[in-house]
């Protein structure tokens, strides 16, 4: 599939890297009063002080102080576990951003997309070559036709609209002649108006149809060959004879059908043989004249449907069709390449925008992680202060109840052993390295978009160059 690497990169950048929102977990503060009450520090301090425990020379923490330290250490371990869970979540979210995968896919896209685009427009070149050769054949055919028939003019062609109008005119002639003749023949038909109209329609089709066919065949009288001229001249004579005969027959039929009915056809044939121009009624002559007029009108209309020289319109029509096919196909291929280029450019824009969004998300994760680490450090400071407050509560109660001097360590503050959280994971890119990699990827994608634009211009130029490789044929002899 073409542009597969680009589509994979596009889908990858569009996809969300996680399915949860950024949130900050606050480490809960230790409730000093509650812990003091739970451990009974004031009571136990007074009880042990009344018996001078711990002894004045005691160097280490007693069991009550150790219980306080143990409780604080448990809180520190719980907070550290929460920190590790958060750090694991941050690591997963950073991994899901998959910048390395994006950069690899960008390189793959850069390596294949332009190649796919070149293959796209080269396929169009192959298609246009065949159509251009077919157009050349049609041009050579027209050139040979004009040379062989010594034609020094362009073919007279009609637009589709004009052709349709001329054909409609022939149809109208048939309809009007049928209606006109039907009113004259209805009186002599035993079926009345329906019978007269049916008979008139048959005469109209013969009259208009013969004129139309004759208009095409008479053109052979203009042919360069002697045989063509003889054929065309013969068609002229046959057409005139047929048009006159069929309209005379219609006029005679009108006169005989009113009295003879079933034998009217035989009487018409006899009259055409013995006295074809002997018509007794002025309406019969009107019928004859109208029929001849419709025939001549149809002949003239059909004559101008195509070029007066026989065969010239067909040659020009084949050339025009192949030229239109070639031009339309070239336009379609150019539009297709333009659509592909625009689609690629839009995807590149989305990819670049997506990389920027992922970088902002990366910055947010790093910032959030830093805040969590800072909160953990502050929480350890809080635990140290809480431990000293708890110890102070116990020691103060012990000191007041004692008769002997308190141990020396009662004056010392407790120092909580800190856990140093990692600010950066192993193998993690720093901000400068990541920004540089994203900039490099953006530049590569932008360069690819520019190369696509250059290939589009090259493809359009190659398409148009086919006309230079296959110039339109010019009939030098005809022009001379």
């Amino acid at each position: 599939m073409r542009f597969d690497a680009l589509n994979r990169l596009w889908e990858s950048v569009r996809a969300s890297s996680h399915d949860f929102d950024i949130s900050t977990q606050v480490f809960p503060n230790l409730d000093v009063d509650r812990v003091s009450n739970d451990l009974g520090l004031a009571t136990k301090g007074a009880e042990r002080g009344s018996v001078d425990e711990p002894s004045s020379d005691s160097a280490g923490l007693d069991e009550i102080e150790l219980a306080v330290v143990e409780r604080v250490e448990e809180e520190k371990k719980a907070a550290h576990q929460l920190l590790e869970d958060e750090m694991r979540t941050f690591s997963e979210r950073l991994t899901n951003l998959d910048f390395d995968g994006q950069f690899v896919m960008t390189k793959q896209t850069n390596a294949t997309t332009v190649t796919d685009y070149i293959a796209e427009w080269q396929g169009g070149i192959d298609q246009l070559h065949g159509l251009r050769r077919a157009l050349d054949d049609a041009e050579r055919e027209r050139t040979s036709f004009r040379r062989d028939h010594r034609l020094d003019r362009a073919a007279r062609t009609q637009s589709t609209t004009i052709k349709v109008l001329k054909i409609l005119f022939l149809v109208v002639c048939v309809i009007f002649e049928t209606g006109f003749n039907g009113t004259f023949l209805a009186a002599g038909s035993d079926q009345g108006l329906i019978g007269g109209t049916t008979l008139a329609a048959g005469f109209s089709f013969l009259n208009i149809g013969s004129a139309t066919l004759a208009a095409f065949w008479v053109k052979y009288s203009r042919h360069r060959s002697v045989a063509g001229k003889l054929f065309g001249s013969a068609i002229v004579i046959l057409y005139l004879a047929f048009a006159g005969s069929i309209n005379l027959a219609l006029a005679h039929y009108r006169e005989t059908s009113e009295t003879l009915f079933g034998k009217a056809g035989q009487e018409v044939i006899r009259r055409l043989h013995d006295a074809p121009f002997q018509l007794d009624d002025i309406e019969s002559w009107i019928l004859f004249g109208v029929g001849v007029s419709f025939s001549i009108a149809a002949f003239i209309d059909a004559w101008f449907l195509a070029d007066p020289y026989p065969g010239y319109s067909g040659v020009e029509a084949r050339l025009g069709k192949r030229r239109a096919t070639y031009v339309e196909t070239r336009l379609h291929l150019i539009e297709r390449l333009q659509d592909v280029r625009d689609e690629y450019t839009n995807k590149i824009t989305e990819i670049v925008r997506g990389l920027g969004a992922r970088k902002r998300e990366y910055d947010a994760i790093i910032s959030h992680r830093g805040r969590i680490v800072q909160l953990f450090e502050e929480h350890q400071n809080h635990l140290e202060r809480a431990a000293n407050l708890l110890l102070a509560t116990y020691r103060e109660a012990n000191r007041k109840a004692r008769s002997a001097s308190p141990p020396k360590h009662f004056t010392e503050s407790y120092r909580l052993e800190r856990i140093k959280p990692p600010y950066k994971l192993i193998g993690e890119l720093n901000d400068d390295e990541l920004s540089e990699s994203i900039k490099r990827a953006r530049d590569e994608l932008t360069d690819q978009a520019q190369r696509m634009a250059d290939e589009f211009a090259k493809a359009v130029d190659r398409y148009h160059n086919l006309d230079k490789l296959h110039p339109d044929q010019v009939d030098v002899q005809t022009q001379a």
Side-chain angles (χ1 to χ4, degrees):
M1 178 180 179
R2 290 178 180 175
F3 309 109
D4 187 50
L6 173 66
N7 291 327
R8 287 199 307 270
L9 177 58
W10 178 58
E11 292 292 343
S12 175
V13 171
R14 292 177 64 202
S16 176
S17 61
H18 60 78
D19 56 359
F20 44 84
D21 296 328
I22 294 177
S23 62
T24 302
Q25 286 286 347
V26 180
F27 298 100
N29 288 332
L30 186 64
D31 190 340
V32 176
D33 293 335
R34 183 173 180 177
V35 173
S36 177
N37 292 331
D38 290 343
L39 295 179
L41 296 181
T43 302
K44 292 181 179 180
E47 291 177 353
R48 289 178 61 79
S50 63
V51 293
D52 292 327
E53 291 290 339
S55 60
S56 299
D57 58 353
S58 175
L61 301 178
D62 66 5
E63 62 268 22
I64 305 301
E65 291 173 312
L66 290 175
V68 170
V69 171
E70 183 179 357
R71 181 64 181 273
V72 171
E73 288 291 333
E74 288 177 356
E75 291 294 331
K76 184 183 73 171
K77 291 179 181 179
H80 182 244
Q81 182 61 49
L82 179 59
L83 174 65
E84 288 186 339
D85 293 340
E86 289 291 326
M87 296 297 285
R88 189 179 303 109
T89 300
F90 291 133
S91 176
E92 291 174 355
R93 289 162 62 182
L94 290 173
T95 301
N96 290 337
L97 291 176
D98 193 23
F99 281 106
D100 290 336
Q102 299 296 321
F103 298 147
V104 171
M105 292 177 68
T106 298
K107 292 185 180 297
Q108 292 176 347
T109 300
N110 294 338
T112 61
T113 301
V114 173
T115 303
D116 290 343
Y117 192 67
I118 293 174
E120 183 85 14
W121 66 256
Q122 284 183 342
I125 289 288
D126 296 337
Q127 184 178 356
L128 286 179
H129 263 303
L131 295 176
R132 182 69 239 200
R133 284 193 293 268
L135 177 57
D136 289 346
D137 292 340
E139 290 171 344
R140 282 192 291 269
E141 180 188 17
R142 185 186 63 174
T143 300
S144 299
F145 187 90
R146 294 177 64 176
R147 182 181 63 248
D148 295 342
H149 297 274
R150 298 194 295 278
L151 295 170
D152 58 356
R153 61 173 178 81
R156 297 188 181 99
T157 58
Q158 303 288 347
S159 66
T160 302
T161 302
I162 297 298
K163 287 182 179 180
V164 171
L165 291 176
K166 288 182 176 297
I167 294 173
L168 287 176
F169 177 78
L170 294 175
V171 174
V172 170
C173 285
V174 172
I175 295 174
F176 271 88
E177 187 180 13
T178 299
F180 183 82
N181 293 342
T183 59
F184 281 91
L185 299 178
S189 175
D190 56 354
Q191 296 180 351
L193 183 60
I194 295 178
T197 303
T198 303
L199 183 61
F203 274 107
S204 297
F205 275 112
L206 285 175
N207 194 33
I208 302 301
S210 62
T212 303
L213 292 176
F216 288 102
W217 292 340
V218 165
K219 293 179 180 181
Y220 279 92
S221 60
R222 303 168 61 92
H223 203 275
R224 298 296 179 186
S225 67
V226 175
K229 292 181 181 296
L230 291 175
F231 175 75
S233 300
I235 292 297
V236 172
I237 297 172
L238 289 175
Y239 164 65
L240 294 175
F242 185 81
S245 298
I246 192 172
N247 285 287
L248 281 172
L250 183 62
H252 283 292
Y253 185 85
R254 176 191 171 277
E255 293 186 350
T256 59
S257 61
E258 295 181 1
T259 57
L260 298 178
F261 292 103
K263 296 182 179 181
Q266 297 176 2
E267 179 62 20
V268 168
I269 294 175
R270 188 192 67 78
R271 285 191 176 197
L272 289 175
H273 183 269
D274 297 339
F277 297 102
Q278 185 178 347
L279 297 172
D280 300 330
D281 192 340
I282 188 62
E283 292 184 355
S284 299
W285 282 108
I286 294 174
L287 193 64
F288 171 77
V290 170
V292 171
S293 299
F294 273 112
S295 178
I296 293 173
F299 180 90
I300 295 173
D301 183 73
W303 174 272
F304 288 104
L305 271 173
D307 190 90
Y309 195 86
Y312 199 7
S313 294
V315 171
E316 190 67 28
R318 287 190 292 274
L319 175 59
K321 183 178 180 180
R322 291 185 181 180
R323 180 179 287 116
T325 300
Y326 172 75
V327 172
E328 290 173 2
T329 302
R330 183 174 63 185
L331 180 61
H332 171 74
L333 290 173
I334 291 175
E335 289 177 348
R336 164 65 182 161
L337 288 178
Q338 188 174 7
D339 291 341
V340 173
R341 182 203 62 186
D342 293 343
E343 180 184 1
Y344 177 88
T345 302
N346 292 336
K347 287 185 177 180
I348 288 296
T349 302
E350 289 188 29
I351 291 170
V352 171
R353 189 183 298 117
L355 287 174
R358 286 180 179 242
K359 177 59 170 62
R360 289 190 294 273
E361 186 175 346
Y362 168 87
D363 293 339
I365 292 173
I366 295 300
S367 176
H368 187 197
R369 187 179 66 181
R371 289 197 300 272
I372 292 295
V373 170
Q374 183 179 3
L375 287 174
F376 177 72
E377 291 180 339
E378 292 176 357
H379 185 65
Q380 290 188 105
N381 294 334
H382 159 73
L383 291 178
E384 185 179 76
R385 291 193 298 270
N388 283 302
L389 287 174
L390 292 171
L391 290 174
T393 299
Y394 168 74
R395 290 170 178 174
E396 183 62 25
N398 185 278
R399 187 180 292 110
K400 289 180 179 180
R402 298 177 67 90
S403 58
S405 61
K408 184 179 180 180
H409 71 267
F410 270 27
T411 60
E412 298 175 357
S413 298
Y414 173 72
R415 304 290 296 178
L416 181 69
E417 185 178 356
R418 301 295 200 277
I419 298 177
K420 199 69 175 176
Y423 279 87
K424 181 179 177 181
L425 301 178
I426 298 175
E428 179 183 319
L429 293 175
N430 60 40
D431 186 71
D432 292 338
E433 293 173 339
L434 182 58
S435 297
E436 180 62 28
S437 297
I438 291 177
K439 180 180 181 301
R440 186 163 51 250
R442 285 176 175 174
D443 292 341
E444 291 176 356
L445 291 170
T446 303
D447 290 342
Q448 284 298 101
Q450 183 59 48
R451 288 184 61 189
M452 288 283 284
D454 295 341
E455 288 298 329
F456 172 75
K458 184 188 298 183
V460 173
D461 187 58
R462 288 286 298 274
Y463 287 171
H464 287 295
N465 278 343
L466 287 176
D467 292 333
K468 299 177 183 178
L469 297 174
H470 303 272
D472 291 341
Q473 302 296 318
V474 178
D475 190 350
V476 179
Q477 294 182 3
T478 298
Q479 289 185 342

